[in-house]
Amino acid sequence: MSIFSFFSRQSAPVKLPFATDMHCHLVPGVDDGSPDAATSVKLISGMHQWGIDRIIATPHLTAGTFENTPATLDPALDVLRRELAGSGLPVEVSRSSENRLDDFFDAQLRAGNVATLPGNSLLIELPWMQEPFNLDTQLFDLKCQGYNIIIAHPERYPYYRHHPERYASLHGQDNLFQINLLSLAGHYGKAEKQVALHLLEKGMVDYIGTDIHNQRHVESIDAWLRTREARKILDAAAPRLRNDSLR
């Protein structure tokens, strides 16, 4: 280890500037996140060390892969809550969902099966390959129905990297942005981190979510939170963040 790396790190992780994580995949066995309740509790234990005491888990609602409904999600959440109570960890867990804009989500929303975030907010995930051709109309229609829109991890959609002006357009239409702590930690790569920092610099980050799925994610975040860079970035971001308003 070099002298520089020794002095650039600190012995304990920085406490997060919020106590509520509103994007993670800890409802066991329902998507590509935690496979069972014991694993979820282990992940939550790591998150609690960063100051998290309230978790709103957001399992995927995605056509063809994770077609979750209350019938699949609520029993799994109950199992997690029982396991968590037995652990003694002082962390509250509830759930909403991460909602891909597709036909399955539309049907579930019409049926009243989508649990919103507090404030009647919807965490919206966009397709990975290209922006929907009628995205603005879809988001406007949801807002007309009384929902508040939070776009999940905009820094991860590759089609926006060469069109950064689109971020300002979307955010300026009363769509809130949630970036991933994993992006800031560099877990996905340099491009995602660079965009996340750009959005922070431009004042377009309203929420930070962990997006934790597994132990590797916890370890990546924990390592980053022990750096001076993390303290600097999170201190600057803190005044704008709305995580703890979701109560």
Side-chain angles (χ1 to χ4, degrees), residues 10-26:
Q10 42 197 27
S11 58
V14 174
K15 293 291 184 182
L16 295 172
F18 51 86
T20 303
D21 184 17
M22 43 70 72
H23 184 175
C24 58
H25 297 268
L26 301 180

Side-chain angles (χ1 to χ4, degrees), residues 1 9 75 86 111 132 140 178 180 186 203-205 239:
M1 178 182 294
R9 293 184 176 273
F140 179 77
Q178 172 262 309
N180 286 353
M204 289 189 283
V205 174

Side-chain angles (χ1 to χ4, degrees), residues 10-237:
Q10 42 197 27
S11 58
V14 174
K15 293 291 184 182
L16 295 172
F18 51 86
T20 303
D21 184 17
M22 43 70 72
H23 184 175
C24 58
H25 297 268
L26 301 180
V27 177
V30 298
D31 62 7
D32 57 346
S34 175
D36 54 63
T39 299
S40 295
V41 170
K42 180 180 179 182
L43 301 177
I44 291 169
S45 177
M47 298 163 70
H48 183 57
Q49 295 182 56
W50 311 330
I52 296 293
D53 64 19
R54 185 167 182 262
I55 291 171
I56 308 173
T58 51
H60 289 289
L61 263 66
T62 311
T65 52
F66 305 115
E67 295 191 345
N68 283 304
T69 68
T72 58
L73 297 176
D74 290 339
L77 178 63
D78 288 341
V79 171
L80 172 56
R81 284 173 165 167
R82 289 195 294 271
E83 187 84 12
L84 190 59
S87 75
L89 282 169
V91 179
E92 174 190 344
V93 177
S94 60
R95 75 156 185 89
S96 178
S97 54
E98 181 181 5
N99 307 292
R100 179 74 62 83
L101 284 180
D102 57 30
D103 291 342
F104 178 74
F105 166 65
D106 290 343
Q108 291 301 302
L109 193 65
R110 288 195 302 270
N113 288 338
V114 176
T116 61
L117 290 159
N120 212 33
S121 295
L122 291 169
L123 184 65
I124 297 297
E125 182 183 44
L126 305 184
W128 290 107
M129 298 308 296
Q130 63 182 22
E131 181 185 279
F133 76 94
N134 60 342
L135 177 61
D136 291 339
T137 299
Q138 291 183 73
L139 297 179
F140 179 77
D141 288 346
L142 289 170
K143 283 177 279 193
C144 287
Q145 295 174 54
Y147 297 107
N148 297 305
I149 303 302
I150 303 172
I151 296 179
H153 46 61
E155 76 279 9
R156 297 193 66 194
Y157 304 123
Y159 41 85
Y160 289 145
R161 290 178 197 156
H162 300 296
H163 301 281
E165 70 281 358
R166 186 62 172 135
Y167 290 120
S169 172
L170 285 169
H171 199 262
Q173 295 173 42
D174 294 326
N175 301 301
L176 302 180
F177 284 177
Q178 172 262 309
I179 65 169
N180 286 353
L181 200 56
L182 283 163
S183 297
L184 294 175
H187 181 84
Y188 308 115
K190 293 181 179 179
E192 290 82 356
K193 180 169 184 171
Q194 184 178 23
V195 174
L197 292 173
H198 168 77
L199 294 174
L200 283 170
E201 180 184 354
K202 297 300 182 181
M204 289 189 283
V205 174
D206 306 285
Y207 301 91
I208 295 178
T210 65
D211 199 24
I212 284 172
H213 289 62
N214 52 54
Q215 183 63 27
R216 186 166 51 91
H217 287 171
V218 171
E219 291 169 358
S220 291
I221 292 171
D222 192 81
W224 183 70
L225 289 177
R226 295 174 190 273
T227 66
R228 292 181 178 177
E229 178 192 61
R231 179 179 296 277
K232 179 180 178 182
I233 290 172
L234 293 174
D235 282 351

